[in-house]
Amino acid sequence: MSEADAAVLSIADLTIIRAGAPLPELERFSLQLNPGQTAIVLGETGCGKEALFRALCGASRPDERISGAIRFGSLGPALPQDRQGSGLRVAYLPCVDQGVLSPSADVLSQFVRILARRLGLPRASAREELRLALGRIEGAPPVAALRGRPGSLDPGVLAWGFLAVTLAQSPDLVLADHALSQLSPMQARNIAGAIIAAQKQLGFALLYAARGTLATTWLGGRVLVMRAGKIVEEGPAERLASSHAHAYTQMLYKSATVQSPVQKHTIRGEPILQVRGLRFAAKKSERNTADGITLDLRRGASLAIVGEPGSGRRELMRAMLGLDKPAAGRTIFDSVDIGILSRSMVSRLRRRVAFITGDDDVLDPRMTVRDTVEEPLRAHLNLSREHVAGYREAALKRVGLNSIPGERTVAMLSSFDRRRLQIARAIVSVPRLAVIEEPQRGLGPLEQSVMIDLLKDFRAQEGPAFLILTANFALARALADDAMVLKDRHVVERGSLAELVRAPQDAYTRRLIEAVVPRPEEGLSQAVLQG
Amino acid sequence: MTSAAAQLAPGAAPPLRKFARIAGFAGLGAIAVLAGASGVIARAPAGAAGIGPALRPPSFDFLFGTDLLGRDVASEILHALTVTAADAAIAATVVLAAGSLFGFLAARLPWRIGDLGLWLMGVLNAAPALLLAILFVGLSSREYAPLAAGLAAAPAAFLRAFAKARELSRSRHAEYARASGIGAMALLKRDLAYEIRDDGISTAARALAAVAITLSTLSFFGFGAVPPARDLGLMIGAARATYFDAWWTAAFPALALILFVFCARLAAGLDEGERP
C-alpha cells in the first residue's frame, strides 16, 4: 500500500474563492496526513485556516467556490460531505467559546446528545461512554463537573468535556479548531498532553488550527505557517522557531514568546491600593474564606495576581474594589476606606478605575465606537460631545482605531478591535488604577504583541497602577513588576516578578511558569522561546 | 471559525423583515391619509342615512353596497377607520407608557419593588386582555375605551420590557460599566436610548395592532365606541342582524380592520417581541 493510500486525509491543490473577494481565501493548499500524524495550521485570523476548516467540515459558505480535491481515507477524490461514505470516523474538537453549545441548556445533556447522535446510541449508553472517556483521560474532571450551563462552567472543564466527546468517538481523524485557545496556559498544556497521550493510544491523525505558537510547542508535529491563503512554509516546530525560518514565521514566534520584562518603573510615592487582612468567599453562601490577604499597590506600580481561573483572583479583585462585600478586612483605595462608604460613593470612587479584559462582552455591542470611548468622560464629567471629541480622537489614534468609522457598532468589531477599544476607553478616563485581566486571550501572536505594547504605552503615558489578573506568567512578566501567586484563594508565593520567574519556591508557581516557558526536554528550548 | 466581525449589529434586520417593515409603514401611511381625508374622499358624511336603497349589494354606484339604513358602506368604513385609527393610537401610547416604559424602569427599582410590579403584572397578564378592558370600561365609562384597551394590553408589554431590562442590567457590559463607575441613571439612559432606537418602532407597531383588535372587539360587544361615532368594531357588530342576507355590511369593515392590523404587524417586522 502506498503512502497516499494509507493517508486519512489528503488535500490537493485546494483553492477557495469567495465571491467578490479580491484574493482567494485559500490558494493551492495541499496536505497529506497519515494515521498518528499531527499537522498544525498556524496563522492569524483570515490567513485561510478558517476557510480550510469550513471546507473540511462541509460547512463552506454559499458564496465560496471550492476547487481541488479533499480525500478522506482511501477513497478517491471526494467532497467533504461524502466523507461518511469513506468509513472514516472524523471528530471535530472546537474551541470552548465557539458557540457550539446552547447557552441555556445543561452542558452534560448536550454532550450526551451529541455523542448519542454521533455513535447512534441511546442516551443512557452515550452518557456511560462519556463517563468512561473522561475516566480514561488523565487529569479530566468527573462527569458530574459538566453539570451546568456553558456560561457557568470553567473553560477548562468545558475543554475536557469536548475532548472526552471527541475521544469517545474513537476517531481516525480529529479536526481541532483552536481547541486550546481561550484556556489558561496550564490548562492548555494539560489538555495538549491528554491529546498527545490519546493519539499514541488511538492512533488518530490530528489537524489543528492554531492562532498562537504555544500550541505548536505542546502538540509538536508538522507546522504549516499560513498567510493570506497561502502556505508560507512548513516543517517541524523547532526549525520554524529558529532563526532559519521565514521572516513571517520568525515574527509569529517572536511576538508570542516571553515578552521582554517590563522596565522597572519608579515607584511614585503613596499607595493607591492598600488591602489589609481581606477575606473573601468564592460564593456568597460559602463560609470558607481565604486567608486574610494584605497587599500594597503604589501609584504607577504594577502587580500581577497570577492564578488559574477558580484560584480566587477575580473574587479578590471584586472584594478589593467593593464590587462584592468581603467577609473581613478593609481596602483603602486612593486614601479612602471603601468599607465605610455608601454604594453610590464607592461607585463614584470607582471612576478612577479602568478595566481591560479578554472578554469581548464587556463593551455594549449596541454602542458605537465613538460612544464607547466618550462614555466615561460624558458620564463622569457631563462634558458635551464637542468637548470630548479631541480626547476621543487622540485615544483612538493611539490604539490604531482612528481609521474605523466612529458610527460603527461594537458588535461589528473583531475581538482585537474590541480589546483596543477598551484601551482607548481607559486612556480617556485617565484612571489611577487599571485592572487588566487576560487581555490577550484568544488573539493571534501579533495581536497579542500589539496589545502588550499598547498597555505598556498606556502605563507609561497615563501612569496608572496596574493590577493584572492572569494565569499567564509571560503576560505578567511583560507588564508587571511584582507578582502574587494565588491558588485556591490562598497566597502561595509573592515577590518581585523577576525573582519569582528565576527561582520559584512553590511547585504550583513552577508549573505556571513552565506552562509558558517549557523545559528543554519538552519541546522547544527555552532559549528559542525567549527569542 | 468564529468571527466577531461576522455578527450582525443588534437591531439590524434581515432583508425580508426590512421589506415587511417598509410595506407595513407604507400601508399604515396610506390608511392615515385615507382616514385624515375621509371628510373629503367619502361620498357621504358619517352616519348619513338614506344615501341609497337599503341593503343594496356592491355595485358601480355603491362600491361596498349599502346597509339597512341605506348608508354607503364605503363612506362609513372611511369614517370608522378614522375613529379606529385615532383610538388605537391613543391606546398604543398608553401601552408604551404604562407597559413598556414602566416595565423598563421597574426592572431597575431597588428593594424588590420591581419584583412586586412583576408579580402584579404577571397576575394581570394571566387574564385575557379583552376581559380586563371590559372591566376597566365598567369601572369608568365607554368614552374611556381607548384608555381601557391600552391598560389591558399594558401587562404583556410590561413583562416584555421588564425581562429585557433585567437581561440588560445583568449583562457583562452593564457589570463592566458599573464597575468603572458609570452610574445607574447613565446606564438607564443608555439602555433606554438604544431600546427606543432598536425596538421602539416595532414595539409601538405591535401595540397598535394589539389594541386595534381589543378596541374593535369592545365595540363589537357594545363596550367601545359611543354612537353616533362608529368604529370598525361597531360597524361589524351592527351588521350582525343582516350578515346572512347582506354579507357586505360586515365583510368589508372586517377586511378594513384586518388590513389595518396586518399593516401594523408588518410595520413591527412580524416580530412577536420575543428574542432568541
Side-chain angles (χ1 to χ4, degrees):
Chain A
M1 192 163 44
S2 73
E3 197 174 305
D5 289 338
V8 286
L9 176 66
S10 304
I11 304 172
D13 291 334
L14 187 69
T15 299
I16 302 174
I17 299 170
R18 196 163 183 196
L23 292 171
E25 290 184 301
L26 194 68
E27 195 174 350
R28 298 181 68 81
F29 181 92
S30 298
L31 170 73
Q32 186 171 308
L33 256 184
N34 291 340
Q37 284 188 342
T38 297
I40 299 174
V41 186
L42 173 69
E44 295 185 282
T45 306
C47 68
K49 61 184 188 301
E50 293 88 354
L52 169 68
F53 266 63
R54 278 198 299 273
L56 290 173
C57 295
S60 292
R61 293 177 175 147
D63 58 349
E64 281 177 339
R65 201 154 43 82
I66 302 174
S67 61
I70 299 174
R71 197 175 75 165
F72 289 98
S74 55
L75 291 186
L79 290 171
Q81 295 91 307
D82 300 334
R83 67 165 183 258
Q84 302 297 347
S86 68
L88 199 75
R89 291 183 298 268
V90 182
Y92 180 68
L93 182 59
C95 169
V96 288
D97 78 333
Q98 207 160 336
V100 172
L101 299 176
S102 162
S104 54
D106 181 60
V107 170
L108 178 58
S109 57
Q110 292 190 70
F111 280 155
V112 167
R113 209 178 310 139
I114 293 169
L115 208 50
R117 188 176 296 172
R118 297 285 295 174
L119 299 179
L121 291 174
R123 289 201 183 167
S125 309
R127 189 189 162 101
E128 187 58 18
E129 286 289 337
L130 182 63
R131 192 185 65 77
L132 290 173
L134 277 167
R136 281 193 292 264
I137 306 171
E138 195 185 334
V143 74
L146 298 172
R147 280 255 170 248
R149 293 179 181 182
S152 65
L153 295 187
D154 179 71
V157 173
L158 271 179
W160 284 116
F162 275 120
L163 181 61
V165 170
T166 304
L167 298 182
Q169 298 170 46
S170 306
D172 299 308
L173 170 65
V174 173
L175 302 173
D177 192 359
H178 303 101
L180 303 180
S181 71
Q182 304 291 338
L183 301 176
S184 73
M186 203 149 90
Q187 287 171 336
R189 184 189 181 188
N190 291 340
I191 287 173
I195 292 173
I196 292 169
Q199 191 181 27
K200 278 182 186 156
Q201 197 183 347
L202 301 173
F204 57 79
L206 173 68
L207 182 63
Y208 187 94
R211 229 176 267 122
T213 50
L214 213 52
T216 66
T217 312
W218 301 133
L219 293 171
R222 189 156 40 115
V223 181
L224 295 91
V225 181
M226 295 199 60
R227 188 184 192 189
K230 291 180 186 166
I231 297 175
V232 173
E233 69 175 325
E234 61 178 289
E238 283 209 30
R239 186 183 69 75
L240 296 185
S242 72
S243 56
H244 301 296
H246 187 279
Y248 179 70
T249 312
Q250 284 189 47
M251 195 164 66
L252 282 180
Y253 273 91
K254 279 184 180 167
S255 55
T257 55
V258 180
Q259 296 280 329
S260 57
V262 66
Q263 286 189 339
K264 195 77 178 171
H265 278 64
T266 314
I267 307 301
R268 304 169 200 164
E270 77 274 25
I272 186 77
L273 188 68
Q274 291 171 285
V275 176
R276 296 287 175 265
L278 196 74
R279 291 171 180 271
F280 58 96
K283 292 175 189 163
K284 281 179 185 169
S285 55
E286 201 173 310
R287 297 185 68 85
N288 179 24
T289 59
D291 294 338
I293 289 175
T294 295
L295 63 91
D296 281 337
L297 183 62
R298 292 178 179 274
R299 279 189 198 280
S302 179
L303 170 71
I305 299 176
V306 187
E308 291 281 288
S311 62
R313 62 183 198 204
R314 185 177 276 190
E315 289 80 6
L316 171 62
M317 179 274 289
R318 291 184 66 87
M320 279 195 292
L321 297 180
L323 291 163
D324 290 333
K325 198 171 167 53
R330 55 200 283 249
T331 302
I332 298 162
F333 177 63
D334 212 6
S335 310
V336 182
D337 186 344
I338 62 172
I340 59 168
L341 297 181
S342 66
R343 278 176 65 176
S344 64
M345 289 302 291
V346 174
S347 174
R348 289 181 77 84
L349 200 65
R350 278 202 302 265
R351 292 177 179 183
R352 302 171 197 176
V353 184
F355 290 82
I356 297 160
T357 81
D359 190 340
D360 288 337
D361 298 332
V362 295
L363 297 179
D364 190 337
R366 302 164 303 171
M367 289 177 81
T368 61
V369 168
R370 188 181 296 149
D371 289 344
T372 304
V373 181
E374 283 177 0
E375 190 181 52
L377 286 177
R378 298 185 66 193
H380 298 166
L381 304 173
N382 282 326
L383 292 176
S384 67
R385 197 177 279 275
E386 296 73 42
H387 279 101
V388 301
Y391 297 105
R392 180 194 70 218
E393 291 307 317
L396 286 172
K397 193 172 178 184
R398 267 178 61 186
V399 299
L401 288 176
N402 51 329
S403 58
I404 288 184
E407 62 275 9
R408 187 170 289 179
T409 58
V410 170
M412 297 166 83
L413 300 180
S414 67
S415 289
F416 181 45
D417 290 346
R418 290 187 199 203
R419 309 282 167 84
R420 287 189 289 162
L421 194 59
Q422 287 186 48
I423 298 179
R425 189 178 154 106
I427 286 172
V428 296
S429 61
V430 198
R432 305 268 171 87
L433 174 68
V435 178
I436 296 164
E437 186 181 16
E438 305 286 20
Q440 84 293 8
R441 185 164 49 203
L443 298 179
L446 291 181
E447 294 166 340
Q448 289 187 26
S449 173
V450 171
M451 280 297 292
I452 287 173
D453 286 344
L454 288 174
L455 287 168
K456 282 178 177 171
D457 177 66
F458 171 45
R459 189 180 168 202
Q461 295 210 31
E462 273 71 29
F466 270 17
L467 185 67
I468 299 155
L469 312 179
T470 185
N472 189 334
F473 253 102
L475 177 80
R477 192 158 174 236
L479 293 175
D481 309 318
D482 301 310
M484 188 168 89
V485 181
L486 211 60
K487 184 188 179 194
D488 298 332
R489 282 170 283 140
H490 296 278
V491 178
V492 169
E493 202 169 348
R494 65 203 298 176
S496 124
L497 205 115
E499 193 58 32
L500 275 183
V501 171
R502 199 180 59 78
Q505 300 300 308
D506 190 86
Y508 179 69
T509 312
R510 206 170 300 126
R511 283 208 305 276
L512 282 172
I513 294 170
E514 284 168 0
V516 284
V517 186
R519 288 189 296 268
E521 66 271 21
E522 286 179 316
L524 299 177
S525 72
Q526 191 162 331
V528 167
L529 259 175
Q530 286 172 335
Chain B
M1 276 191 275
T2 52
S3 167
Q7 293 175 19
L8 277 174
L16 190 63
R17 186 164 288 184
K18 263 186 187 168
F19 177 75
R21 280 187 176 161
I22 292 167
F25 278 111
L28 283 180
I31 288 170
V33 169
L34 282 176
S38 60
V40 181
I41 302 169
R43 178 176 181 173
I51 300 295
L55 298 180
R56 174 109 182 247
S59 63
F60 282 114
D61 292 336
F62 298 96
L63 273 181
F64 291 172
T66 60
D67 66 4
L68 195 60
L69 299 176
R71 289 178 293 204
D72 177 28
V73 173
S75 302
E76 289 301 302
I77 286 174
L78 279 173
H79 296 303
L81 196 57
T82 311
V83 177
T84 299
D87 286 355
I90 295 169
T93 309
V94 174
V95 174
L96 292 179
S100 302
L101 185 62
F102 185 44
F104 211 82
L105 299 176
R108 291 158 193 264
L109 290 175
W111 306 307
R112 300 209 169 259
I113 299 172
D115 289 339
L116 186 66
L118 181 68
W119 177 81
L120 188 66
M121 289 297 183
V123 170
L124 286 176
N125 192 49
L130 180 64
L131 295 185
L132 270 184
I134 292 172
L135 176 69
F136 292 144
V137 168
L139 293 173
S140 54
S141 79
R142 287 171 69 182
E143 280 82 10
Y144 295 110
L147 185 66
L151 287 176
F158 177 96
L159 296 177
R160 263 197 301 271
F162 191 96
K164 176 72 183 160
R166 271 279 159 93
E167 182 194 323
L168 284 171
S169 70
R170 289 174 180 173
S171 62
R172 288 279 294 135
H173 57 77
E175 190 187 6
Y176 169 79
R178 279 193 293 270
S180 49
I182 304 290
M185 195 51 76
L187 267 180
L188 175 66
K189 273 161 65 180
R190 169 171 117 181
D191 284 344
L192 206 52
Y194 284 118
E195 202 55 23
I196 290 169
R197 187 197 71 181
D198 295 338
D199 261 0
I201 290 172
S202 292
T203 308
R206 210 165 42 233
L208 196 67
V211 293
I213 295 170
T214 308
L215 275 168
S216 299
T217 316
L218 277 178
S219 297
F220 180 86
F221 287 120
F223 298 110
V226 184
R230 297 210 306 163
D231 67 1
L232 293 168
L234 198 59
M235 275 187 79
I236 300 166
R240 268 180 297 186
T242 56
Y243 182 68
F244 292 105
D245 300 320
W247 56 267
W248 57 90
T249 54
F252 286 118
L255 272 176
L257 180 62
I258 289 169
L259 190 68
F260 180 74
V261 172
F262 183 62
C263 286
R265 294 310 307 261
L266 279 180
L270 300 171
D271 183 8
E272 290 300 321
E274 281 77 26
R275 285 163 173 245

